[in-house]
Amino acid sequence: MDKIKIEKGTSTEEQIVELLNSAATESDDQSKVDCLIKIQELIIHKEPGLLDNFVDEITAFQHDRSADVRKTVVGFIEEACKVDQELLGKVMHSLQLLLNDTSIAVLKRVIQALTQLHKVTLQWLAKAKSVTGLMESTWNMLNQMKSQIAKMIDHDNDGVRTIAVKFYEMIIISQTYPEPDSVRKENEFSLEEVPLTLKIARPRKLEEEAQLMIEDLMKYHGSAHISSANLMACMGSLTHIAKSRPQFLDRIVTAMEMLHANLPPTLSKSQVNSVRKHLKLQLLTILKHPASHERSGNIKTLLADLGATPQEINKALPSPEEIAKYPRRSERAEDSKSGPAAKRRKIEVDAVPLNRENTKEKALSITEEFIVQHLSTKKATDLVIDALPRITNNMPPHFSSTYTPVSEAGTPKQIRHVARLLASQMTNVGIGPGVDQVGYTPKMGNDFEDDDEEMDDGVSAVSPRFRDGDDPAKPGIAQIPPQVQIRARQRALKLAEIVKPLTPQMNESMARSALQRVLKAERTAMLGGVAANRQKILASLATLFSGDFKDLVVEYIMSDPRSRIELAFSWLYEEYSMVMGFCHQSTIVKDEYRQSAIDSYSSVFCSLVNELKKQTDLKEREMLLSRLFHESPHIPEEGVSILRSMLCEDAKLVDISIQIVRQLVHRPTKQLVYLNVLLEISSHEVEEVRSAVLSCLTDLYDRGALRRVIEDYAVMYLKFLLLEEPPALLCGPEKGRSEIITTWTEEITKACLYLFLAILHSNEKLIHELALVYVQANADIKRRILRMVEGPVEGMGMESPELLKLVETCPKGAETLLIRIIHILTDKYPPTHALVDRVRNIYQQRVPDVRFLIPVLNGLGKKEVLSVLPKLIKLNPDVVKKVFGRLLGTVGDSSATYPSPLSPTELLIALHNIDSTQCDMKTIMKATSICFMERGVYTQEVLAVVMQQLMDQNPLPTLLMRTVLQSLSLYPRLSGFVMNILQRLIVKQVWKQKKVWEGFIKCCQRTKPQSFAVILQLPPQFLQELLNTSPDMKTPLLEHVMAFTDNQRMHIPKLTMDVINGIAQFQAEAEDITNEDSKDKEMGSPEPMESAFHGDIEPPAPGET
């Protein structure tokens, strides 16, 4: 999908809403990430005041499938909290959830964010005047995450371990006090900023925690199985700690000495070179610090062994002036003891197990002095000879790269260095005089077991104890024979050493049997009053195991879902506790299970829903499905897909599915997800499904909830009509169209309009969007739009401000749409004055299309209607029929309240009086025929009035006799009235108008023998012309006359009788007179019309009379 384009002038809040909507509907992960990054830029750097408004909507994306999206959410949370510390309470639970993410990339990003937010949280607490409940809960969640990250220093992933080391570094620096000679960064946080009155984060407790973590970090630094990358990261962190907190410098230098003597045996040749080079660089960095001058001798010896030149060492040494600025550590220690308590809380020696590390250093120093005093040339030779049998025949691959020649062999300085190396190895394995004198006992097994029992103050260790820290049997470490008596120590009983592990098959069999026994004990548990305990056990067992075990529990629940639905909820909450890390059992389950906890929860939820859907005979099926969706702690994405399928595929579950989504859409965290389900199905092909969804969406739209999102989605679908081909988004199983449609069919066009037209009555402003799209659409789509707008437009009303605005500002090309809309609104009700005025203006000033006036004809004046009547009758016959229907009041109810500007009589007379120069006679005849079809309006009385008024005109209308003939055909009872008309026509000398005279002859033919009495009144010459034109009338006329009595025949003129009897001598004279009259009248007679009386005056068909 194309990237979102933000219109210029749009407010920041509107831009953010558009980007949020786009991110929620985008299918491409990178597009979502881009939208979220734009939102972060707009909020953090442009409008920080909007943070509180949109933080919930953005954190809702923490459940997105894409790891990149979730990482972006973490980055937003970090930046937002730096800007507004009050948001920490809102987002901490989101970070806690993301810390358990299965994606390593997301996990690493969360740890990086917490590395910064830990300091931000301490600053927030330190500045607060009083600690609120929200602050306390936030700090507790942060402590839980801190403990969880501390354990990740032993994670399977190398990168996670490296970031965990950086987290340790941050904790140690921020939870300790700086020294005068500390190297401090700008805005660096320390315990100096934490008030002693802060109860939930006491400075003493925080410093104790930091002391424990520096101890664990140095143990990890000396672990035998540490990777090269982790080792170098650990060295870098320890160096930074030594510079920032010089009080740890001695211990860090000692740790690096021990590392130099005992490099991990798992490193390859190239890794050993890299580690040694990195160690040299770190030592040079430490040597530059003024506080290192007390240990400069040890450091320089180490650097010399690592290949550093004297020039490099001398260059790194601090100047005497810099050293003189800082008192010796012993002096500072005395000052700190006598300093004010408010400046620093001194850690009591007996309160923290820090004396264990001090004891080790003391033992190391005593053993070192012992070796220096007793290490003679002879004893050195004996050690070498004793070690020769243990040396392999082949040189170790990394020996040549790590070996450096001893430049100061035999000097006191070199002897002390060798003694230091030997002392460190002896102390590690628990031998030497220093171990016996100070009582130091190294851990022989797991160096990283919890030693909470060693703490008198009840402070629990934050970090785990790492494995293989000081294993005496490590390969690559020289074994020194004990030269002094080793003090006997008691060995702790370890269950793993005396029990035999079960085979996987036996373990699975026993677990299955235990689960089945608990399942069968339902009645027993109820009788014993422990049903709740049994339910808890079942939920825990089902959560711990996977595969077939979960299927057994699902099958058990579905055998009686009505009474066992509570077990399903208990199980779901147990699974959710695993996902969130709330469950105590999470520390004993396998790592791979922890990583798949989210998938396990999703699988359980979907299994329960799918199995419940199959129970078609269960009366409570809909109620139980509703409870599963409403009462479950979380609905996974797969569950949303099932809900979507329930809406699309199962007609029986449509109503309950709509009710479920209607409730879920009000949940803030995922409301856009559930709304998107409804929006996707709003164009479904099945009428029942679509109608239910559209009803729900219009209800949400009317309430104002998510109004902007629904409107944007509807407009987006509407604009699909401008594409050359229908987008694939309109097809798919969730749309009811399994096949891809590549052409704009009737159905696919409607799919783009359903939602838009459904909300049109609620927001009439959308009519302008419809007009803009209509202008750009092709002809087929325009016709379909015109057919579909009737229902939605009816609810607008003619007084709608938006409709009147559209009439005034109608886009060029949307005239037909506007006409259609006005037609719909005026079909049943008369047009308002405001609408008439605006339509009149657009007709007169912008679009001189007479079709605009048709819907408002009843609101125009008589003169206006008469002026446009010639144009109206030129339109399509169907349109003309509708026009006359409006004027005659046969369409809608307008005539009941607002009479037509023209009466039926006036309309028909107006048609006869239309000038032939404005409209051809054939069109006028068709228009009059349409009037005659309205027999309910044009009764014989109305037609009699029309003919009477037409007779009064001079000259006579050309179509007079055609109207007389049609009236006579419709109403034969008008024959007497027609005879009167014919007599009056003789008086008006009808023969002077050729077309009227032809109609007169036709009428006489049609009305014989009644017309014979009128014919006998014609002048003889025109009687002769009539008989010549219609010779078939001569004989019946003669017979009619001969039937007269002699007295009656006496009243007939002789010339008339001669014409009837066919006397020839009058014929020529009559013809001459006729020709002269014809020549005289041709100049002023109307233009002859072809077929004026031939074929058009026949009586209507039987169905039309």
Side-chain angles (χ1 to χ4, degrees):
M1 184 177 289
D2 295 339
K3 292 184 177 179
I4 280 277
K5 293 183 178 179
I6 306 298
E7 296 181 0
K8 293 184 178 179
T10 308
S11 68
T12 303
E13 187 170 2
E14 291 175 347
Q15 293 180 32
I16 295 170
V17 171
E18 286 189 26
L19 290 169
L20 276 173
N21 296 339
S22 177
T25 55
E26 285 285 0
S27 57
D28 180 50
D29 294 340
Q30 187 56 44
S31 298
K32 288 185 181 180
V33 172
D34 294 341
C35 289
L36 292 176
I37 291 175
K38 290 179 182 177
I39 293 171
Q40 180 175 328
E41 290 293 327
L42 288 172
I43 295 179
I44 303 296
H45 302 294
K46 190 174 180 182
E47 291 286 347
L50 297 177
L51 262 176
D52 196 52
N53 295 345
F54 292 100
V55 67
D56 290 336
E57 285 76 6
I58 298 174
T59 53
F61 286 94
Q62 66 186 342
H63 303 291
D64 195 90
R65 289 187 179 212
S66 170
D68 291 334
V69 174
R70 299 198 296 274
K71 283 171 58 182
T72 307
V73 172
V74 176
F76 173 82
I77 291 174
E78 179 184 349
E79 295 300 323
C81 291
K82 288 180 180 179
V83 174
D84 186 1
Q85 297 175 351
E86 296 296 330
L87 293 177
L88 285 165
K90 288 187 177 182
V91 301
M92 198 59 71
H93 65 280
S94 299
L95 291 173
Q96 193 171 28
L97 176 64
L98 290 167
L99 188 59
N100 295 281
D101 200 281
T102 55
S103 171
I104 294 298
V106 176
L107 179 60
K108 290 161 66 175
R109 187 65 186 87
V110 174
I111 299 174
Q112 287 176 336
L114 287 172
T115 302
Q116 300 298 322
L117 295 184
H118 181 272
K119 296 181 287 186
V120 174
T121 305
L122 277 176
Q123 290 174 345
W124 179 43
L125 296 175
K127 294 177 182 178
K129 295 182 179 178
S130 61
V131 178
T132 63
L134 177 63
M135 290 180 175
E136 187 171 356
S137 62
T138 303
W139 179 248
N140 290 337
M141 281 191 285
L142 183 60
N143 278 334
Q144 292 175 11
M145 289 187 283
K146 187 195 304 182
S147 177
Q148 194 171 350
I149 296 172
K151 296 177 184 179
M152 291 180 187
I153 203 169
D154 202 19
H155 197 273
D156 291 340
N157 185 271
D158 200 52
V160 174
R161 294 195 297 269
T162 300
I163 296 177
V165 167
K166 294 297 180 182
F167 185 80
Y168 268 64
E169 175 188 331
M170 179 275 300
I171 293 292
I172 294 167
I173 292 175
S174 61
Q175 293 188 186
T176 52
Y177 290 95
E179 295 285 339
D181 51 354
S182 295
V183 177
R184 302 192 65 174
K185 295 182 179 178
E186 186 178 358
N187 298 325
E188 182 180 279
F189 185 83
S190 67
L191 275 186
E192 286 182 329
E193 301 178 36
V194 180
L196 296 174
T197 56
L198 187 60
K199 293 183 179 180
I200 62 172
R202 295 286 191 186
R204 181 176 61 83
K205 297 284 187 180
L206 296 176
E207 188 172 14
E208 290 170 0
E209 188 178 64
Q211 295 285 357
L212 290 171
M213 296 191 82
I214 186 68
E215 179 185 348
D216 288 333
L217 188 60
M218 287 192 291
K219 284 185 179 181
Y220 181 61
H221 177 263
S223 176
H225 301 292
I226 187 172
S227 67
S228 62
N230 293 152
L231 181 56
M232 288 190 284
C234 199
M235 282 191 285
S237 294
L238 288 175
T239 301
H240 184 221
I241 293 170
K243 291 167 59 182
S244 301
R245 300 293 181 265
Q247 60 264 40
F248 300 125
L249 190 142
D250 291 343
R251 296 164 62 187
I252 291 171
V253 171
T254 301
M256 290 186 175
E257 286 180 334
M258 297 178 68
L259 175 66
H260 174 61
N262 300 284
L263 283 175
T266 56
L267 301 181
S268 64
K269 179 179 179 181
S270 60
Q271 289 174 338
V272 168
N273 289 334
S274 299
V275 169
R276 287 172 59 86
K277 186 180 296 184
H278 193 71
L279 178 59
K280 183 180 75 171
L281 292 175
Q282 300 306 319
L283 287 171
L284 287 171
T285 302
I286 293 175
L287 188 60
K288 293 177 182 179
H289 196 280
S292 66
H293 65 279
E294 295 182 10
R295 296 295 300 271
S296 60
N298 302 68
I299 297 174
K300 287 190 285 186
T301 304
L302 278 175
L303 287 171
D305 283 353
L306 291 169
T309 62
Q311 291 79 7
E312 290 177 323
I313 296 173
N314 293 331
K315 186 178 179 180
L317 285 172
S319 64
E321 293 79 9
E322 291 177 341
I323 296 174
K325 291 180 182 179
Y326 303 100
R328 290 185 173 271
R329 187 159 305 278
S330 57
E331 298 175 9
R332 291 201 301 269
E334 292 298 328
D335 293 341
S336 64
K337 291 179 183 179
S338 59
K343 176 67 179 176
R344 173 173 175 169
R345 293 293 298 255
K346 180 179 178 297
I347 302 175
E348 299 293 337
V349 176
D350 297 333
V352 187
L354 178 61
N355 51 2
R356 175 181 176 82
E357 186 69 25
N358 294 334
T359 303
K360 181 178 180 180
E361 293 180 6
K362 189 174 182 180
L364 183 63
S365 300
I366 294 173
T367 304
E368 178 186 353
E369 292 298 329
F370 176 81
I371 295 173
V372 169
Q373 294 174 10
H374 294 81
L375 186 59
S376 61
T377 305
K378 181 177 182 303
K379 289 184 178 179
T381 305
D382 292 339
L383 285 173
V384 172
I385 292 173
D386 288 342
L388 283 175
R390 298 183 178 87
I391 297 176
T392 59
N393 294 328
N394 298 321
M395 182 187 298
H398 60 277
F399 178 79
S400 59
S401 60
T402 60
Y403 173 75
T404 54
V406 180
S407 58
E408 299 177 345
T411 62
K413 182 177 179 181
Q414 196 272 337
I415 293 173
R416 179 166 290 279
H417 177 59
V418 172
R420 182 76 174 180
L421 294 177
L422 288 174
S424 65
Q425 293 184 350
M426 294 172 66
T427 305
N428 279 342
V429 296
I431 60 176
V435 172
D436 291 336
Q437 290 184 27
V438 301
Y440 173 73
T441 305
K443 293 191 175 181
M444 306 300 293
N446 187 351
D447 284 345
F448 307 105
E449 296 173 356
D450 293 336
D451 51 7
D452 295 343
E453 64 275 4
E454 298 178 8
M455 301 173 63
D456 298 331
D457 196 26
V459 180
S460 61
V462 178
S463 59
R465 303 295 178 245
F466 306 99
R467 300 173 182 81
D468 304 319
D470 300 311
D471 190 356
K474 286 191 295 184
I477 299 179
Q479 302 296 315
I480 303 176
Q483 296 182 359
V484 296
Q485 185 67 29
I486 300 177
R487 183 169 55 88
R489 297 184 302 275
Q490 291 185 351
R491 185 179 179 87
L493 176 64
K494 295 184 178 179
L495 189 62
E497 296 178 355
I498 61 175
V499 297
K500 182 179 179 182
L502 297 174
T503 62
Q505 295 79 8
M506 186 179 296
N507 193 6
E508 182 178 355
S509 175
M510 293 179 66
R512 183 184 295 273
S513 299
L515 179 61
Q516 290 175 342
R517 285 195 299 273
V518 179
L519 290 175
K520 293 177 181 178
E522 181 177 14
R523 182 174 178 80
T524 305
M526 292 179 64
L527 294 175
V530 291
N533 295 340
R534 171 183 171 274
Q535 180 173 298
K536 177 65 176 175
I537 292 172
L538 274 175
S540 300
L541 289 176
T543 303
L544 285 174
F545 300 113
S546 59
D548 297 339
F549 294 91
K550 294 185 183 293
D551 296 338
L552 284 174
V553 181
V554 171
E555 183 180 353
Y556 172 76
I557 293 172
M558 290 303 143
S559 61
D560 186 8
R562 284 173 290 192
S563 60
R564 295 170 181 167
I565 189 67
E566 295 302 329
L567 172 59
F569 286 124
S570 179
W571 184 12
L572 284 172
Y573 274 91
E574 194 73 20
E575 291 278 357
Y576 187 71
S577 297
M578 283 290 191
V579 173
M580 301 300 294
F582 300 152
C583 189
H584 296 298
Q585 295 166 339
S586 60
T587 57
I588 63 172
V589 295
K590 297 179 180 179
D591 291 341
E592 55 269 22
Y593 182 82
R594 283 203 303 269
Q595 294 175 359
S596 63
I598 296 176
D599 294 335
S600 177
Y601 176 87
S602 177
S603 174
V604 172
F605 181 86
C606 295
S607 298
L608 290 171
V609 174
N610 286 327
E611 291 298 323
L612 198 54
K613 282 173 55 182
K614 296 177 183 177
Q615 307 235 351
T616 55
D617 298 332
L618 184 64
K619 294 181 180 179
E620 295 85 356
R621 180 177 68 152
E622 294 185 1
M623 181 270 291
L624 294 177
L625 280 172
S626 179
R627 285 193 63 190
L628 267 179
F629 278 97
H630 290 154
E631 299 180 24
S632 296
H634 171 68
I635 300 176
E637 293 184 11
E638 293 80 0
V640 177
S641 301
I642 294 175
L643 185 58
R644 185 183 293 108
S645 67
M646 287 167 57
L647 276 167
C648 302
E649 301 169 7
D650 196 337
K652 296 180 180 180
L653 294 176
V654 170
D655 291 338
I656 187 62
S657 301
I658 290 290
Q659 294 177 17
I660 291 172
V661 180
R662 186 189 293 268
Q663 295 297 324
L664 293 178
V665 80
H666 295 294
R667 295 186 177 182
T669 54
K670 297 185 70 175
Q671 60 181 180
L672 293 179
V673 175
Y674 301 122
L675 178 63
N676 194 49
V677 172
L678 293 175
L679 293 174
E680 288 178 356
I681 306 174
S682 63
S683 59
H684 200 277
E685 191 168 3
V686 179
E687 172 68 22
E688 182 182 358
V689 176
R690 184 179 65 249
S691 299
V693 172
L694 287 175
S695 176
C696 180
L697 284 171
T698 52
D699 184 47
L700 290 172
Y701 189 80
D702 291 339
R703 292 182 182 181
L706 302 168
R707 186 181 182 95
R708 183 62 181 272
V709 181
I710 297 173
E711 184 177 314
D712 289 347
Y713 196 91
V715 173
M716 178 184 73
Y717 262 56
L718 176 67
K719 291 182 178 179
F720 284 164
L721 297 174
L722 304 179
L723 302 178
E724 294 183 3
E725 295 182 359
L729 186 64
L730 297 174
C731 303
E734 69 279 1
K735 309 286 186 181
R737 306 176 190 90
S738 55
E739 297 181 358
I740 300 296
I741 301 176
T742 57
T743 57
W744 285 107
T745 62
E746 178 89 13
E747 183 56 38
I748 207 70
T749 304
K750 290 180 178 180
C752 295
L753 291 168
Y754 286 133
L755 179 59
F756 183 88
L757 296 178
I759 64 173
L760 180 59
H761 75 280
S762 299
N763 186 0
E764 296 174 356
K765 292 182 179 180
L766 294 177
I767 194 69
H768 303 291
E769 289 284 352
L770 181 62
L772 293 175
V773 171
Y774 182 85
V775 170
Q776 304 176 54
N778 60 48
D780 291 336
I781 292 177
K782 285 181 177 179
R783 285 193 293 271
R784 292 162 188 162
I785 291 175
L786 293 176
R787 287 196 293 269
M788 289 189 67
V789 296
E790 181 172 356
V793 166
E794 282 182 349
M796 291 183 64
M798 285 175 281
E799 296 180 355
S800 168
E802 298 302 326
L803 173 64
L804 298 177
K805 181 180 178 181
L806 179 63
V807 175
E808 292 177 352
T809 63
C810 177
K812 187 176 181 181
E815 293 83 1
T816 51
L817 174 65
L818 180 59
I819 294 172
R820 174 63 176 155
I821 292 173
I822 301 175
H823 263 291
I824 294 169
L825 294 174
T826 57
D827 271 346
K828 297 181 180 179
Y829 303 99
T832 61
H833 294 300
L835 181 60
V836 172
D837 292 341
R838 284 166 174 79
V839 173
R840 183 189 290 116
N841 291 337
I842 196 173
Y843 172 73
Q844 294 175 350
Q845 299 174 11
R846 291 184 55 199
V847 185
D849 189 342
V850 74
R851 290 176 298 174
F852 268 102
L853 298 176
I854 294 175
V856 297
L857 281 175
N858 294 68
L860 297 176
K862 180 177 180 179
K863 290 183 179 180
E864 290 177 302
V865 175
L866 291 176
S867 66
V868 298
L869 190 59
K871 295 181 181 179
L872 289 171
I873 64 175
K874 291 179 183 179
L875 299 174
N876 184 281
D878 292 334
V879 178
V880 176
K881 188 174 182 180
K882 292 180 180 179
V883 170
F884 287 176
R886 288 180 179 271
L887 291 174
L888 299 174
T890 59
V891 177
D893 302 328
S894 59
S895 60
T897 307
Y898 288 82
S900 171
L902 294 178
S903 66
T905 301
E906 292 172 334
L907 175 60
L908 192 53
I909 292 173
L911 291 174
H912 284 78
N913 293 330
I914 293 176
D915 192 346
S916 60
T917 59
Q918 294 180 327
C919 186
D920 62 88
M921 199 62 65
K922 189 174 183 180
T923 302
I924 299 174
M925 287 190 291
K926 289 181 180 179
T928 58
S929 298
I930 293 173
C931 290
F932 281 109
M933 292 179 187
E934 300 292 339
R935 296 191 63 177
V937 176
Y938 287 96
T939 62
Q940 62 182 11
E941 291 80 7
V942 173
L943 291 175
V945 174
V946 170
M947 290 185 287
Q948 183 70 36
Q949 294 187 17
L950 290 176
M951 281 295 300
D952 294 338
Q953 295 183 11
N954 190 19
L956 295 171
T958 303
L959 297 180
L960 169 63
M961 294 312 299
R962 186 177 186 278
T963 299
V964 172
L965 288 171
Q966 284 184 308
S967 300
L968 189 60
S969 299
L970 291 174
Y971 301 105
R973 291 183 180 182
L974 288 173
S975 58
F977 182 79
V978 172
M979 294 302 104
N980 186 26
I981 293 292
L982 294 177
Q983 288 179 354
R984 292 181 63 187
L985 287 174
I986 293 174
V987 175
K988 284 182 170 286
Q989 299 182 352
V990 66
W991 50 83
K992 293 184 178 181
Q993 292 180 239
K994 183 178 180 180
K995 294 299 179 182
V996 180
W997 171 242
E998 290 175 0
F1000 179 88
I1001 296 173
K1002 284 283 185 181
C1003 187
C1004 291
Q1005 287 179 318
R1006 186 73 57 83
T1007 58
K1008 65 182 180 181
Q1010 292 92 338
S1011 62
F1012 288 163
V1014 177
I1015 292 173
L1016 291 174
Q1017 299 178 28
L1018 286 170
Q1021 63 269 33
F1022 297 107
L1023 175 60
Q1024 179 68 51
E1025 182 180 351
L1026 184 149
L1027 294 177
N1028 291 340
T1029 304
S1030 302
D1032 56 328
M1033 292 182 63
K1034 185 173 183 180
T1035 302
L1037 179 61
L1038 180 60
E1039 291 175 354
H1040 177 74
V1041 172
M1042 295 307 294
F1044 287 176
T1045 61
D1046 292 339
N1047 190 25
Q1048 289 174 327
R1049 281 197 296 271
M1050 290 292 293
H1051 290 84
I1052 299 175
K1054 182 179 181 301
L1055 290 177
T1056 301
M1057 287 300 297
D1058 290 344
V1059 172
I1060 295 173
N1061 289 322
I1063 297 176
Q1065 61 265 20
F1066 186 74
Q1067 183 174 357
E1069 183 181 353
E1071 289 177 355
D1072 292 340
I1073 296 172
T1074 303
N1075 289 335
E1076 290 177 4
D1077 291 341
S1078 298
K1079 290 178 181 179
D1080 294 338
K1081 299 302 179 184
E1082 278 179 0
M1083 300 300 294
S1085 64
E1087 186 177 330
M1089 293 300 299
E1090 218 175 285
S1091 304
F1093 295 98
H1094 299 285
D1096 290 324
I1097 58 173
E1098 296 300 322
E1104 300 175 353
T1105 57

